[in-house]
Amino acid sequence: MKKIFITALCIAGMYHAYAQKSIPLYQGKAPGTENWKQKEAQQFNQLFKTEVVFNVTQPSMLLFQPDKSKINGTVVVIAPGGGFQSLSINREGIDMAKKLAENGITAVVLKYRLLETKSNDPAKEMMENIKDRKAFDAKTAPIKIMAGEDIKTAISYIRTHAKELNINPEKLGVIGFSAGASVILESVLHSKDASMLPNFAASVYGGPSQEILNTEVPKAPLPLFICAASDDQLKLAPKSVLLYNKWLEAGQPAELHIYEKGGHGFGMGKQNLPVDKWSDVYLDWLRFHDFL
């Protein structure tokens, strides 16, 4: 693995307003994508009704640190979703990070590598791509591996710089939304180096592949929080149940919450439904496991 670029850059721009730092994961171009020419962009997407980032070629972390009077040593890496075509940067990233920071947890929003968007509408392009699911899965397969390397690199960076980040390296968790749930499971299930393995994890309306569901769960204790909605438009709720059963069969701590209504992509949005309070339930779970 290439040496991680350790210089933290001060950040600017609208969606950066709440983050204290943006930290690039690699020095120079990310390994394996040195020839990518697309340029990272951001927009409010009408189809998704939220802010999205797309064409990420240089993976980075947006760091949110709590007030010093609140900081408790726990850190959570957040992987937003977006079908590996974009990142729901606010609803599944920054808004979650702000809530965690308000509760004393250092939060890191991961901007991992994505499929190239050739138009200026990543959501529309993704919806067209998934009409041929087999072809889309073939296109995203190498991206999933790269994104998995990005989150493992982020975990390694955080643990290496634990002292300056004022965090406990043994209280490091990951949470992923939709496609981001597959990214965090890469760190959980495909980490050969123990230093890249998180201490706890959460999957929010994820759709783990059969390959992930067939992969052996780590032996070290690794509590898993799972959340989804029964009316998920992508019909992914049953996969959350399969993931829960996988953790149970491995003798690992697991907690599952399936809401009746909420759809896919509820994130930190508000629908005046019980699902709106899922993040409070997640905080209760963190407290139960002494991470809050």
Side-chain angles (χ1 to χ4, degrees):
M1 184 182 295
K2 290 187 177 181
K3 182 179 178 182
I4 301 169
F5 187 30
I6 62 171
T7 303
L9 302 177
C10 293
I11 54 182
M14 189 170 71
Y15 78 85
H16 289 172
Y18 302 97
Q20 296 176 9
K21 296 176 183 176
S22 176
I23 304 172
L25 286 181
Y26 306 98
Q27 184 175 10
K29 297 200 171 184
T33 52
E34 292 87 351
N35 296 324
W36 285 12
K37 303 297 184 186
Q38 57 267 38
K39 295 189 182 298
E40 183 177 314
Q42 181 180 336
Q43 64 173 220
F44 181 86
N45 190 271
Q46 291 296 336
L47 182 61
F48 287 166
K49 304 298 181 189
T50 190
E51 201 81 8
V52 299
V53 169
F54 56 104
N55 281 339
V56 175
T57 61
Q58 294 296 104
S60 62
M61 300 179 289
L62 302 179
L63 175 67
F64 293 74
Q65 289 181 303
D67 185 87
K68 289 182 179 179
S69 64
K70 292 183 177 180
I71 197 163
N72 62 20
T74 297
V75 58
V76 173
V77 181
I78 305 164
F84 293 100
Q85 189 88 51
S86 63
L87 300 175
S88 181
I89 199 68
N90 284 353
R91 189 185 296 165
E92 299 174 358
I94 290 173
D95 292 347
M96 184 71 200
K98 288 163 61 180
K99 180 157 189 171
L100 291 173
E102 286 166 4
N103 285 274
I105 294 172
T106 299
V108 173
V109 179
L110 179 69
K111 292 167 68 179
Y112 53 88
R113 283 172 282 183
L114 302 167
L115 284 171
E116 180 181 5
T117 294
K118 296 180 180 179
S119 66
N120 195 40
D121 192 337
K124 183 178 179 181
E125 197 166 314
M126 185 194 76
M127 297 306 290
E128 284 297 315
N129 284 339
I130 62 175
K131 288 179 180 178
D132 185 344
R133 190 72 206 200
K134 188 174 181 180
F136 182 71
D137 288 345
K139 285 174 67 176
T140 57
I143 302 296
K144 289 179 181 179
I145 294 172
M146 291 175 189
E149 289 303 311
D150 294 341
I151 194 167
K152 285 181 274 191
T153 300
I155 290 170
S156 179
Y157 176 95
I158 292 166
R159 286 215 170 104
T160 300
H161 298 273
K163 187 174 181 180
E164 63 195 74
L165 293 175
N166 202 14
I167 60 100
N168 181 341
E170 300 307 314
K171 287 190 172 186
L172 186 153
V174 291
I175 183 170
F177 298 80
S178 193
S182 293
V183 175
I184 67 103
L185 287 173
E186 282 290 320
S187 74
V188 173
L189 299 174
H190 292 147
S191 287
K192 295 178 182 178
D193 185 341
S195 68
M196 297 181 188
L197 189 69
N199 303 106
F200 58 97
S203 170
V204 185
Y205 43 84
S209 65
Q210 194 58 49
E211 187 274 333
I212 282 178
L213 290 171
N214 289 339
T215 303
E216 186 177 357
V217 176
K219 302 296 183 187
L222 207 159
L224 179 64
F225 177 93
I226 307 168
C227 180
S230 294
D231 65 342
D232 187 308
Q233 296 92 328
L234 301 182
K235 303 187 185 303
L236 296 181
K239 289 203 169 187
S240 288
V241 177
L242 291 176
L243 185 62
Y244 170 74
N245 288 335
K246 177 181 178 65
W247 243 248
L248 277 189
E249 289 164 7
Q252 288 278 21
E255 184 161 315
L256 173 66
H257 297 270
I258 302 287
Y259 290 88
E260 181 179 348
K261 297 285 186 182
H264 187 82
F266 51 80
M268 297 296 287
K270 300 300 177 188
Q271 303 179 68
N272 295 318
L273 293 170
V275 73
D276 294 352
K277 296 187 180 299
W278 77 267
S279 58
D280 294 327
V281 177
Y282 173 64
L283 290 178
D284 288 340
W285 179 81
L286 290 176
R287 189 175 292 109
F288 174 73
H289 284 283
D290 296 325
F291 294 120
L292 183 59

